[in-house]
Amino acid sequence: MTAYEKPIIQTTEIEQILTMQLGTSLITELMPMTGGNLSRVFSFRFDGREGVIKFSDLAGAYDTERFVSGLLTGHGVPFPRCLGQGQVNELSFSILERVPGSMLIDCTDEQKKAQLPELIRILAQMNEVQVDKTRGYGWIKPDGNGASPTWMAHIESFFAEDQTGNFWEGWYDLFKTTFLEKSVFDECYARLLHYAPFNEPHRHFVHGDFQPWNIMSSGDRITGVIDGNCVYGDYLLDLETLSGTLGELDVVAAYQQHVQEKGFEIPNFEERMLGASYFKGLDAMRFYTKMGWEEAYHGLRHSLINLVNK
C-alpha cells in the first residue's frame, strides 16, 4: 500500500467553483496553503473578506462540517463559519471563513506559554457544548447524531478490518507490506479494550484532532480552531491529543487546575486518559504507517508499549 496522496485540482476550476458558490466574480489572491494531511487547501479573498476552500477525494469528507460549524459557533467557540459545500467530479469541497493568524505550532515557546490559559478555556468550552438533543457515539453524521450506539461499537467499527469507501479501506494490508507490526498493534488494542469501559459513560462533543496545527493564533491570543475529526465520546480524547504537543508545557496539569478552579471533579481520570491514549495512539500508528512516517511510528510505538505495565 503506497502513501496517500492528496487530490490535484486546477486553479481555473477552483475559481469557477468559488464564483458559483459565493455569487461573486471578484475572487483574488487564490493561493495554496500548507498543512492538511488529507485535504488540498487554498486561501482566497472576496468582497473584502478572506476564505479557504478544501478539496478531498475521500467519501463524505466534509458531510458534517456545516453541522459542526453551526454547533460550535452557536456556543461561542471560535470556529470558522461554513460558506458553501458541494461536489465536483470525484472531489468534495468545503468553503469556510478563514480564521486569522498562523498555526499555534509556529509560535515561540514563550508565546505558547502565555496563551495556554486561553487554550485550556477554549478546550473546556468546546467539550461543554450541549449535545443532549442528539444521540449516538462516534462519527457525527450530517443530521447531528452519532453513527454508533455505544463508544465500544465505535471502537470496533473504527478499527475493523473490513472497511470500504473510506481512508482505511484495505488497511490490514499495512501489516503485510509496511513496518506496522500486528503483534504490537494487537497488544495495544487489548489494552484499549481494557480501559474503554471507563470512557464509555461519557458523551460529549470531541473535536478529534485538537493539536497546534489546527489551532490558530495571532501570536498573543488564540484566534480560532479549525478542521477536526469530530465525534461524540469522552472529552478527555481532546486533552490527550493536545498533550505533549506544546514542548515543555504540561497541558494536562493546566487542564486539571482549570477544572479544580471551576469546582469540578473528573472521575476515573487516569483510566480515562489511558483509554484515550490507546485509542488515539493506535489510530496514529496506522496513520503514520500509511503516510510512510517511519520515525514517527517508532517513537509512538515505544511510548504506547511503555505507557503501562500490564
Side-chain angles (χ1 to χ4, degrees):
M1 180 178 287
T2 58
Y4 177 76
E5 295 183 4
K6 293 185 285 189
I8 303 296
I9 186 166
Q10 300 300 315
T11 300
T12 53
E13 290 184 82
I14 302 172
E15 291 174 339
Q16 291 172 359
I17 293 169
L18 291 172
T19 297
M20 291 183 62
Q21 288 286 318
L22 301 177
T24 177
S25 59
L26 299 176
I27 305 298
T28 61
E29 300 180 34
L30 179 63
M31 296 181 293
M33 300 181 69
T34 58
N37 289 320
L38 304 181
S39 295
R40 188 76 63 179
V41 187
F42 298 82
S43 64
F44 62 92
R45 293 186 66 88
F46 71 107
D47 298 338
R49 302 162 62 188
E50 292 187 82
V52 298
I53 182 168
K54 306 186 293 185
F55 293 91
S56 176
D57 57 5
L58 300 175
Y62 310 122
D63 284 355
T64 64
E65 199 153 55
R66 189 182 296 275
F67 171 81
V68 169
S69 176
L71 178 68
L72 295 183
T73 57
H75 285 81
V77 178
F79 193 85
R81 189 165 64 92
C82 185
L83 303 177
Q85 291 183 317
Q87 189 90 14
V88 54
N89 299 323
E90 76 283 2
L91 299 182
S92 299
F93 65 84
S94 183
I95 307 169
L96 304 114
E97 293 177 328
R98 184 176 183 181
V99 177
S102 303
M103 293 183 293
L104 181 64
I105 194 66
D106 295 327
C107 289
T108 66
D109 289 345
E110 286 301 313
Q111 288 174 323
K112 292 172 184 173
K113 181 178 181 179
Q115 295 173 89
L116 183 58
E118 183 182 19
L119 181 59
I120 295 298
R121 180 187 61 77
I122 292 174
L123 171 59
Q125 181 184 16
M126 184 169 57
N127 297 151
E128 291 167 4
V129 165
Q130 294 299 309
V131 297
D132 55 326
K133 293 184 179 180
T134 63
R135 62 183 182 277
Y137 289 76
W139 299 121
I140 300 176
K141 299 186 296 183
D143 65 0
N145 293 311
S148 299
T150 64
W151 179 246
M152 188 65 75
H154 174 64
I155 290 175
E156 293 170 352
S157 66
F158 189 54
F159 292 110
E161 177 179 0
D162 298 324
Q163 301 189 44
T164 57
N166 63 32
F167 184 72
W168 293 117
E169 182 174 350
W171 76 275
Y172 258 51
D173 290 344
L174 295 172
F175 291 124
K176 304 174 184 176
T177 61
T178 71
F179 45 84
L180 183 62
E181 304 152 281
K182 194 170 189 306
S183 60
V184 174
F185 194 93
D186 287 348
E187 167 63 22
C188 292
Y189 186 75
R191 297 184 188 184
L192 168 62
L193 297 184
H194 174 78
Y195 289 104
F198 293 99
N199 304 107
E200 183 73 51
H202 305 282
R203 182 182 180 273
H204 305 266
F205 174 86
V206 178
H207 179 278
D209 200 15
F210 193 69
Q211 35 89 353
W213 290 265
N214 286 332
I215 300 165
M216 306 301 290
S217 167
S218 65
D220 55 11
R221 59 177 293 270
I222 304 298
T223 56
V225 180
I226 62 174
D227 295 339
N229 297 315
C230 306
V231 299
Y232 293 127
D234 191 340
Y235 59 79
L236 292 184
L237 287 160
D238 278 342
L239 181 60
E240 164 56 30
T241 302
L242 188 62
S243 175
T245 62
L246 293 178
E248 299 296 321
L249 297 180
D250 193 335
V251 174
V252 174
Y255 187 85
Q256 289 177 307
Q257 181 179 346
H258 173 83
V259 169
Q260 291 171 359
E261 289 173 352
K262 295 188 70 173
F264 297 151
E265 292 186 4
I266 306 178
N268 301 311
F269 180 79
E270 291 186 5
E271 293 86 353
R272 288 165 62 187
M273 282 296 289
L274 286 167
S277 295
Y278 284 116
F279 179 84
K280 299 301 295 186
L282 282 166
D283 184 34
M285 279 177 63
R286 63 178 182 174
F287 180 76
Y288 292 164
T289 302
K290 187 166 183 178
M291 300 301 287
W293 300 345
E294 188 167 359
E295 184 176 351
Y297 166 82
H298 284 292
L300 178 58
R301 172 197 185 278
H302 177 78
S303 296
L304 288 180
I305 286 295
N306 292 285
L307 196 57
V308 294
N309 294 315
K310 286 180 62 66

